[in-house]
Amino acid sequence: MSSWPQNVGILGLEIIFPSQYVDQTELEVFDGASAGKYTIGLGQSKMGFCSDREDVNSLCLTVVNNLLDRHGIPHSKIGRLEVGTETIVDKSKSVKSVLMQLFEPNGVTDLEGIDTTNACYGGTAALFNALNWVESSSWDGRLALVVCADIAVYAQGSARPTGGAGAVAMLIGPDAPLVIDRGMRASYMKHAYDFYKPDLSSEYPVVDGKLSIQCYLSALDNCYQLYRKKYAQKHVNAPAVDLNLFDAIIFHTPYCKLVQKSLARLGLNDFVLTPKDKRIEIYPGFEQFIDVKLEDTYFDRDVEKAFMTHYTPVFDAKTKKSLHLANQVGNMYTPSVYSGLVSLLINHEVSELAGKKVGVFSYGSGLASSMYSISITADVQALGTFKSHLNYVQPLLDARKKVVPEEFTKLMEIREKNNHAAPYEPSGDVDVLFPGTYYLSSVDKMHRRVYQRTSTNKPEKNCSS
């Protein structure tokens, strides 16, 4: 290539989520939980879930096919395809290999990329790899496609309301409406057993809840401080970096209440990083926290309450609207932070978004985390076209079917009982799926999976894995 590709970022964005959900208020009653435990304590309203008719392969088939169709992208225009997921169906065969069934009939087999796995961080790693490819000597002028997909399920109990499912696909290339700021990535990686899946026969994770929160907040502290440092090094004459740098901030969302705490924690970082002799001048009323240390505050209710109260207007202005899908669908795992991006876009007018800077915090247990930023184009026409492709999201949310907790529990029991069963004929209702959804048709005795697609008034496609 004769020149470095400019303004590399997101050219197109597609999201899918389950067609069925359970109401969290009803689930509180069914579980015998105190009123508001899930809805207020966790900040969740509804939780999407998949029957045994959907798995990570079917989610990815659907979201990739939808993106290419909606944006009119020929398969031959894609030169790299990478999947980020922690929902493992096969210990060897990648989800990417299953997706090749969409490309092979179009003569496309020269397609780099496979799967990337580390809890909820895999999609961000895939995104970074796609950006690196476009900005490298390996780039051949085609576009990259990043797919994030997961099904988050938990055993019956206190963790089950934090489940969810979904998939996001992102088209990556130059001259993008959403530019990933070059050289502004800050990462924090560490070994931890906060959330992991050691039992390969089960979909359920092992979770150390308290450690998981501490790891998440510690990673946020480290990523934010390193981002501040890198920004200051790159913009030598710019004012000191703080929350004012970002017009919006989106977070990986295990549950919505944690994100509200996380936004306030960025404010706590700003406070701690302010020279001690200026803290009270800038933050009047925080005298009691003058000597606070970040590592001592993970579970300090006084600090948490004070900063959450102080930063409520900032949260409302910069983050709250990005939690729309997380509140309505639940934790999508790998797609979670990108569902926040979709929510941010569909809940603001083009004029409110043009020229804005979005901070992004991505976290995956184990642990891997990064903070980076997105600069939204100031070109109102280009942004309007980009945003118009997301007009289907809210109507699709509204079209979902509510399932009572008793039926939801039965469907989860079927899913648990038949996990990795072969041969297997799924029993979930196909008629409740959205039009154009790929679904699991059968699994033969050799564990080979066959997929079909619900009607869209177009010829159905059969796929296998």
Side-chain angles (χ1 to χ4, degrees), residues 207-222:
V207 184
D208 184 331
K210 187 173 182 180
L211 178 60
S212 184
I213 294 172
Q214 181 175 328
C215 286
Y216 181 103
L217 296 176
S218 174
L220 177 63
D221 292 343
N222 280 275

Side-chain angles (χ1 to χ4, degrees), residues 371-387:
M371 178 169 277
Y372 63 98
S373 52
I374 298 173
S375 291
I376 301 177
T377 182
D379 184 336
V380 173
Q381 184 174 353
L383 183 59
T385 300
F386 179 93
K387 189 174 179 294

Side-chain angles (χ1 to χ4, degrees), residues 289 292 296-306:
F289 306 122
V292 74
D296 297 332
T297 62
Y298 298 125
F299 303 103
D300 189 318
R301 294 292 180 88
D302 293 334
V303 171
E304 181 181 280
K305 182 178 179 180

